Amino acid sequence: MAAPMLRWGCRGRRWAFARVDGGSCHRRGAPTGSTSNQIRGESSVAQQPLHTAQKTRKGEHKWAAVVGLEIHAQISSNSKLFSGSQVRFSAPPNSLVSFFDASLPGTLPVLNRRCVEAAVMTGLALNCHINKKSLFDRKHYFYADLPAGYQITQQRLPIAVNGSLIYGVCAGKKQSQVIPKTVRIKQIQLEQDSGKSLHDNLRSQTLIDLNRAGVGLLEVVLEPDMSCGEEAATAVRELQLILQALGTSQANMAEGQLRVDANISVHHPGEPLGVRTEVKNLNSIRFLAKAIDYEIQRQINELENGGEILNETRSFHHKLGCTMSMRDKEGKQDYRWFMPEPNLPPLVLYDATSLPAGADPQQVINIDQIRETLPELPSVTREKLVQQYGMLLEHSFTLLNEVGLLEFFQNVIKETRAEPKKVTSWVLNTFLGYLKQQNLAVSESPVTPSALAELLDLLDSRTISSSAAKQVMDVKNRNPRAINKLIGLVRKATQSRADPVMIKEILEKKLSL
């Protein structure tokens, strides 16, 4: 039987909004707690010193936006970062909580080897320098779902620094050209996750679930090298693919395994950077792009109408499509105070040259050994697809970006005699188009790779026309069993050497039903 949820009483609060300046949302009251938990803490994205944004006349100068990201990825591990508690999504509340997770007196942290290896592997894949010595710190702030009153993180000397992430942005009239861009990675650090707060405004109370407290996180800090929501969303999607390829994080945003904080400011080109705001806890790539683009426009409208931008934390309301103020950052707050973690010694890593003679492999972590086990990364997979099948680079991006589509494509290729270019066209245009029309994921598709492969074989042998094949696909989306029956009829007619005209009549008759 699961332990009861801890209760923390608080007074209910409400949001109220007023729409001004073409739909921007401004706060008209104190914030209420969100039903989703928030990762608290100050932004560590490096920007130049903050300057008060200068007022300007509307339309007088062009604006430039600056966007930096902090990405929190949950490490794929069976246990938490500093305790042996199990990690499992949707477990009963407070059923996966150790004495250390609950911060009972006398409990001490024990570092999870798997989490360290995941951090090193991620750093190597992102071209980072791996520090052979890194330190742990306490970041102090009070919140009910953080029992210790501090979070163990790596502020002073993180495990990996100075990396880069290459991603591609679609451009051109038909979005058919991929432009490579690079964003610098300031650092990757290990840290604890907090618990989860569920706010019940009806009863004016907050419920606390500590199952997530102490789960290992990788915080990837991207420098402010992006300028719009599309660039940020594409960079996060590329990082998500890399983490999934490495196996260091499942990076499932729907389950909170990948959360993004965006730091946004606007300024006139050639002038100092403006005051930045931070939009917290974006758990969807689509919402990330919308939140950034909205916040950029909000700041521009505010400045052009004679206002000023506050250094504050904001949240994104996906239903209203706007950001809302949560709290300001103008004053020093408790959680900005850091101190060395006294219960954890420095984390020391080795490479082939510094590995002590006779060292027990189970007691040390060898950076070079981890480097040798790195799997194929998405960028390499795209290059192979272009070279092997002669497809366009933008097509390779689509195959990888859609979950499960690459595997589907490869299975079709294995089972059909059709040319790879024809398979690519059918998978990306006809098949994917129907899935989007029906609002289905690849895993939910009623069309199997074998069925599509056989359909393409019939098309390739000119047994059926292209229009008839597309009609079969359309029937399949309405009736999952139809395509198999149709293909079976055509196969039998072909094997019996029936006249092509008769085959066409059979197909047209069935399609008209």
Side-chain angles (χ1 to χ4, degrees), residues 461-464 493-494 497-507:
S461 62
R462 298 185 179 180
T463 304
I464 61 175
T494 304
R497 298 183 180 180
D499 185 74
V501 176
M502 186 181 75
I503 295 175
K504 183 179 179 182
E505 289 176 353
I506 292 173
L507 187 59

Side-chain angles (χ1 to χ4, degrees), residues 65-366:
V66 177
V67 179
L69 302 177
E70 297 174 16
I71 304 166
H72 301 83
Q74 180 178 314
I75 300 172
S76 293
S77 173
N78 293 328
S79 56
K80 298 183 180 181
L81 184 57
F82 296 116
S83 78
S85 295
Q86 188 180 358
V87 176
R88 190 171 76 249
F89 181 69
S90 293
N94 296 305
S95 61
L96 304 175
V97 184
S98 69
F99 291 155
F100 177 80
D101 301 330
S103 192
L104 297 185
T107 55
L108 295 173
V110 178
L111 184 58
N112 185 335
R113 178 190 178 95
R114 161 61 185 163
C115 293
V116 177
E117 292 174 337
V120 173
M121 183 176 286
T122 303
L124 292 173
L126 295 174
N127 310 302
C128 291
H129 169 73
I130 306 299
N131 287 322
K132 293 182 182 178
K133 179 182 177 181
S134 59
L135 304 173
F136 289 97
D137 304 283
R138 290 183 178 181
K139 178 165 64 176
H140 289 85
Y141 60 94
F142 170 76
Y143 209 79
D145 56 24
L146 194 71
Y150 61 83
Q151 177 191 42
I152 300 179
T153 182
Q154 291 186 306
Q155 176 69 14
R156 295 170 297 158
L157 192 57
I159 196 168
V161 295
N162 300 331
S164 61
L165 173 65
I166 300 174
Y167 61 99
V169 176
C170 293
K173 293 182 179 180
K174 297 183 179 180
Q175 298 288 296
S176 59
Q177 181 182 1
V178 178
I179 300 176
K181 289 180 175 288
T182 302
V183 57
R184 294 168 297 154
I185 295 175
K186 180 184 179 183
Q187 64 190 54
I188 299 175
Q189 61 196 49
L190 285 165
E191 66 179 25
Q192 293 173 301
D193 204 348
S194 60
K196 188 174 184 179
S197 297
L198 300 172
H199 303 292
D200 184 353
N201 291 330
L202 185 62
R203 296 178 177 84
S204 299
Q205 63 184 6
T206 296
L207 305 177
I208 305 298
D209 181 7
L210 296 181
N211 280 348
R212 203 172 67 185
V215 169
L217 296 178
L218 289 175
E219 181 176 358
V220 183
V221 182
L222 304 185
E223 296 279 13
D225 296 336
M226 296 157 284
S227 60
C228 66
E230 181 187 6
E231 289 185 5
T234 308
V236 171
R237 176 56 180 152
E238 184 68 16
L239 177 61
Q240 185 182 38
L241 290 173
I242 291 173
L243 293 173
Q244 291 170 345
L246 294 172
T248 55
S249 174
Q250 295 179 12
N252 186 337
M253 300 189 83
E255 295 184 2
Q257 295 172 353
L258 192 71
R259 292 163 280 174
V260 185
D261 301 336
N263 292 269
I264 306 155
S265 68
V266 298
H267 66 286
H268 295 302
E271 296 183 2
L273 295 180
V275 176
R276 71 174 181 259
T277 59
E278 182 180 24
V279 182
K280 299 284 286 185
N281 293 316
L282 297 162
N283 59 359
S284 158
I285 290 178
R286 184 163 58 95
F287 292 159
L288 170 66
K290 287 185 176 182
I292 290 174
D293 289 338
Y294 172 86
E295 182 61 20
I296 290 172
Q297 193 58 51
R298 184 194 72 84
Q299 292 187 19
I300 292 174
N301 290 343
E302 188 75 25
L303 293 172
E304 289 187 344
N305 286 297
E308 63 177 351
I309 304 302
L310 300 178
N311 181 214
E312 62 181 351
T313 299
R314 302 178 70 87
S315 63
F316 179 68
H317 195 296
H318 67 277
K319 291 184 179 179
L320 297 178
C322 65
T323 62
M324 309 175 300
S325 180
M326 295 171 61
R327 57 180 178 270
D328 70 77
K329 295 184 175 183
E330 296 298 340
K332 291 279 186 180
Q333 299 181 5
D334 289 343
Y335 55 69
R336 298 182 68 174
W337 291 98
F338 291 87
M339 64 168 283
E341 169 54 61
N343 294 324
L344 287 169
L347 174 59
V348 179
L349 308 176
Y350 299 92
D351 56 20
T353 59
S354 62
L355 187 66
D360 183 357
Q362 299 300 320
Q363 300 298 321
V364 297
I365 291 179
N366 189 331

